[in-house]
Amino acid sequence: MKKIAFALAAVLGLSVSMAHAGDKIRIGTEGAYPPFNGIDKDGKAFGFDVDIANALCAEMKAECEIIAPLDWDSILIGLKKKKYDAVVASMSITEERKKAVDFTEPYYSNNLTLVAKKGSSVDPANLAGKAVGAQRATIAANYVTDELKDVDAKLYDTQENAYLDLASGRIDLLVSDKLPAYDWLRSEQGQGFEFIGDAIDVNDKIGIAVRKKDDELREKFNAAIKAIVANGTYAKINEKYFPFSIY
Amino acid sequence: MNWEEIFVALPKLLDGAVLTLELVFISCIIGFVIAIPVALMRASQNWWVSNIPLIYTFFFRGTPLLVQLFLFYYGAAQFDAVRESIFWPVLKEAYWCALIVFALNTGAYTAEIFRGAIQAVPHGEVEAGIAIGMQKHTLYRRIVLPRAIRMALPAYGNEIILMLKSSALAYTITLFDLTGVTRTIIARNYLAIEMYFTAGVIYLLMTFIFIQVWMRVEKRLLKFQN
């Protein structure tokens, strides 16, 4: 049964993309990265990515179908095999991925941020000698080791352990992706902490992936992104999830 | 194999190896100092004296080292009482937490190794000591302990090698030991095979050198047997 459904989806995906213009656009998302994309109890996709995708479709006056959940590792393979026409799944635009697919203009940016205890006198411009934590193998960790050379760097295997040491005071400061950290600040453990300084731009832009040379769809998305940002739809969706702009 | 990158990473990996050696060396010395009295108590005929340290050895031999590290490092730090105590300046440092947990852990194993050896000291030798009128502490100092430690040497050497490898868990509490450095480098250059291979060779080398030294110690101390 699973196999049949699989084959059917492939055939459908193929036919849809062949009869592209004016037809249904199939949008894939992962469904495992809340609050950006998730799957609710009824199996329906929700989240920032999904809301943006729906807003874009409304703007393009196109009929859309959200396909989720999808495996992150093979999400671009499904796109190439025409099981869906676009991926709206908080995907960072990287050189490596650009070899396989094309990206639209970014629809949000992932910044790094510094997190410290409320009222602490940490000065973002002068961190020498401070104990600074980050999760190993992340952009945040690279930032700590490359940009903050004279700090006492502590690398953690999970973000949770880094939060624990921030809470216990072993580290003065945490460098983290801003949006997950925002979730932590709202948790009970994160109550006494706050963002300090400005968000750090690490040029991590999130875009919509489309197949190579599918320029028509890409341009339509680009125009729609511009339009929803201009007409306030984007701000409304943004507000639903974050009290600061993530565009 | 990307030999060039291995060459670039080698100085950092060796720095990590130094910390690994330091952690193992110091914790094994402290562990040894803990183990002797605990082993003597464990070997006692008195039920109370023998069973009270059992709580300690049972806990440290019965739970994973990783759990002990996390309980001690992340767990204890969650309590205000700990953070406000005079011990916090020490417990705040991952280095001291690792040393304390490693020392207690290896101390527990070493104590049980020594207890077995103490109980295995031939009765005849103990009786001979008693027969010539030795006091109890003289008996232990001159007959039981020297004999027991010699008998325990092969098993104790094994424990130290196990400790060297267990020390690889130090990276989980932010220390840049050999494994911690290796993982940090891989996060940047993605050369997992090359870096783990090099780290493995360094661990093997350390073990190899240790075994050579230990064999000499055994040969010297166990000369009377041959």
Side-chain angles (χ1 to χ4, degrees):
Chain A
M1 188 60 211
K2 208 173 173 187
K3 256 187 191 158
I4 296 170
F6 202 74
L8 200 65
V11 172
L12 276 177
L14 201 67
S15 63
V16 163
S17 68
M18 271 155 64
H20 206 283
D23 281 321
K24 201 149 90 175
I25 302 173
R26 295 159 64 93
I27 295 174
T29 195
E30 184 195 12
Y33 191 57
F36 291 98
N37 57 69
I39 304 290
D40 67 14
K41 276 182 242 133
D42 308 321
K44 269 191 66 166
F46 70 92
F48 179 82
D49 287 334
V50 177
D51 289 356
I52 290 290
N54 286 330
L56 293 176
C57 289
E59 184 62 38
M60 296 187 289
K61 297 192 172 59
E63 198 189 330
C64 286
E65 188 189 348
I66 304 286
I67 300 178
L70 295 172
D71 223 13
W72 180 252
D73 291 345
S74 55
I75 204 163
L76 291 184
I77 296 170
L79 177 67
K80 282 178 104 173
K81 292 198 169 162
K82 305 191 175 178
K83 287 177 188 160
Y84 30 86
D85 306 303
V87 172
V88 185
S90 289
M91 185 173 278
S92 297
I93 302 170
T94 66
E95 289 306 316
E96 203 181 8
R97 287 182 183 136
K98 271 194 209 164
K99 286 177 196 158
V101 294
D102 282 343
F103 281 98
T104 62
E105 296 295 315
Y107 66 96
Y108 79 86
S109 314
N110 179 33
N111 291 324
L112 293 183
T113 186
L114 305 176
V115 186
K117 204 171 210 116
K118 271 183 192 156
S120 76
S121 55
V122 177
D123 172 14
N126 180 21
L127 298 174
K130 299 281 181 203
V132 181
Q135 186 182 352
R136 201 191 310 269
T138 61
I139 297 175
N142 293 353
Y143 179 80
V144 171
T145 45
D146 294 349
E147 306 291 329
L148 308 177
K149 286 202 171 85
D150 43 4
V151 301
D152 177 14
K154 308 251 185 218
L155 300 184
Y156 297 85
D157 265 26
T158 66
Q159 185 79 5
E160 283 72 26
N161 284 347
Y163 290 142
L164 282 175
D165 260 8
L166 182 65
S168 71
R170 281 205 182 97
I171 50 178
D172 304 307
L173 202 68
L174 176 71
V175 181
S176 162
D177 283 346
K178 185 166 183 182
L179 307 172
Y182 175 68
D183 259 8
W184 182 73
L185 288 186
R186 290 192 303 177
S187 74
E188 199 186 325
Q189 198 188 31
Q191 283 308 309
F193 296 84
E194 63 185 354
F195 291 144
I196 62 159
D198 297 326
I200 302 156
D201 184 3
V202 282
N203 201 21
D204 185 10
K205 303 287 181 196
I206 312 296
I208 299 170
V210 297
R211 274 184 295 278
K212 277 242 168 249
K213 298 199 179 102
D214 196 351
D215 294 336
E216 187 194 340
L217 183 62
R218 191 167 53 83
E219 287 309 325
K220 274 167 88 177
F221 270 126
N222 280 342
I225 293 171
K226 232 182 210 166
I228 64 166
V229 169
N231 70 18
T233 313
Y234 184 94
K236 245 182 239 159
I237 297 169
N238 186 147
E239 212 171 82
K240 195 171 139 193
Y241 295 91
F242 304 101
F244 43 83
S245 170
I246 66 171
Y247 181 64
Chain B
M1 272 298 199
N2 190 335
W3 295 101
E4 201 176 316
E5 286 293 328
I6 290 179
F7 200 69
V8 169
L10 204 53
K12 280 189 195 161
L13 290 172
L14 290 176
D15 275 351
V18 169
L19 178 61
T20 292
L21 280 178
E22 194 179 316
L23 285 171
V24 174
F25 185 74
I26 300 176
S27 62
C28 281
I29 288 177
I30 302 172
F32 181 83
V33 172
I34 297 171
I36 296 289
V38 173
L40 287 172
M41 288 172 80
R42 290 280 297 123
S44 162
Q45 306 279 332
N46 184 311
W47 190 90
W48 286 103
V49 176
S50 152
N51 277 271
I52 287 172
L54 184 61
I55 300 168
Y56 156 63
T57 58
F58 180 67
F59 174 75
F60 279 96
R61 298 199 309 153
T63 54
L65 181 56
L66 181 67
V67 172
Q68 294 162 17
L69 267 179
F70 273 22
L71 269 178
F72 201 80
Y73 183 81
Y74 292 114
Q78 300 308 301
F79 298 102
D80 290 339
V82 173
R83 290 207 299 271
E84 281 151 20
S85 74
I86 51 162
F87 303 112
W88 184 239
V90 172
L91 296 181
K92 193 179 171 186
E93 299 299 327
Y95 178 82
W96 293 112
C97 285
L99 261 189
I100 293 168
V101 172
F102 286 177
L104 288 171
N105 184 279
T106 185
Y109 281 100
T110 310
E112 291 297 330
I113 291 169
F114 287 167
R115 173 193 57 85
I118 289 170
Q119 289 172 335
V121 172
H123 274 300
E125 297 179 18
V126 178
E127 278 167 3
I130 296 169
I132 60 167
M134 276 189 185
Q135 296 281 326
K136 203 165 188 181
H137 69 267
T138 319
L139 187 69
Y140 269 90
R141 187 163 51 85
R142 297 176 75 167
I143 296 178
V144 177
L145 279 180
R147 191 75 169 90
I149 288 173
R150 279 176 170 78
M151 279 193 286
L153 275 182
Y156 183 43
N158 211 17
E159 163 59 19
I160 294 175
I161 291 176
L162 286 175
M163 199 59 230
L164 173 67
K165 291 182 291 181
S166 305
S167 73
L169 288 174
Y171 85 87
T172 59
I173 57 169
T174 74
L175 287 175
F176 291 105
D177 71 321
L178 179 49
T179 304
V181 172
T182 308
R183 291 177 66 99
T184 306
I185 293 175
I186 291 172
R188 298 307 293 270
N189 67 12
Y190 302 106
L191 296 172
I193 293 173
E194 280 87 346
M195 296 303 129
Y196 278 130
F197 169 79
T198 314
V201 169
I202 297 174
Y203 274 115
L204 265 179
L205 256 168
M206 292 195 282
T207 313
F208 178 77
I209 293 168
F210 172 76
I211 291 173
Q212 298 307 311
V213 172
W214 202 253
M215 265 165 41
R216 271 163 203 247
V217 173
E218 277 185 31
K219 227 178 186 171
R220 218 185 148 85
L221 290 178
L222 300 177
K223 231 177 202 166
F224 65 93
Q225 281 182 339
N226 305 319

